[in-house]
């Protein structure tokens, strides 16, 4: 899978598994809440021009999510741990 390509379903699934609200994900990644809502509302790969998908991927991977498949063939996630490391 290309390094910055995530599907909306993968983003939603990863967030759900980690128990993160969309607001918390916005805070943790520095990506705007409206942008994240737009990403999660589409089918397939969200359009992104500011490197936000790469930021999301890196954050979610650091929290223990592995992205598997391709956007066109079996996109999904694999879980390696269940809570992101966040500064308190």
């Amino acid at each position: 899978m290309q390094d910055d390509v995530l599907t909306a379903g993968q983003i939603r699934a990863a967030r759900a598994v980690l128990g993160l609200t969309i607001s918390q994900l916005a805070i943790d990644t520095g990506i705007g809440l409206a942008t994240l809502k737009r990403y999660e509302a589409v089918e397939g790969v969200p359009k992104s021009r500011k490197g936000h998908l790469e930021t999301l991927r890196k954050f979610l991977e650091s929290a223990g999510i592995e992205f598997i498949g391709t956007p066109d063939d079996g996109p999904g996630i694999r879980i390696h741990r269940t809570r992101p490391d966040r500064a308190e």
Side-chain angles (χ1 to χ4, degrees), residues 13 18 40 45 50 53 77 81-83:
L18 294 171
E40 288 194 3
V45 178
K50 295 185 179 183
L53 291 180
I77 65 170
R81 69 177 188 248
T82 58
R83 295 192 54 95

Side-chain angles (χ1 to χ4, degrees), residues 2 9 14 17 21 26 34 41 47 51-53 63-66 68-70 72 76 81:
Q2 200 176 10
V17 163
T21 65
K47 292 185 182 186
H52 290 325
L53 291 180
I65 300 297
E66 178 184 354
I68 57 175
T70 66
D72 298 323
R81 69 177 188 248

Side-chain angles (χ1 to χ4, degrees), residues 25-80:
L25 185 60
I27 292 166
D28 288 349
T29 61
I31 299 171
L33 181 60
T35 299
L36 289 173
K37 286 181 179 181
R38 182 175 51 82
Y39 286 176
E40 288 194 3
V42 301
E43 286 296 319
V45 178
K47 292 185 182 186
S48 174
R49 290 181 279 188
K50 295 185 179 183
H52 290 325
L53 291 180
E54 182 178 359
T55 298
L56 275 172
R57 176 185 267 291
K58 286 179 180 178
F59 173 79
L60 294 168
E61 286 177 339
S62 74
I65 300 297
E66 178 184 354
F67 296 97
I68 57 175
T70 66
D72 298 323
D73 184 26
I77 65 170
R78 186 172 291 133
I79 306 159
H80 293 284

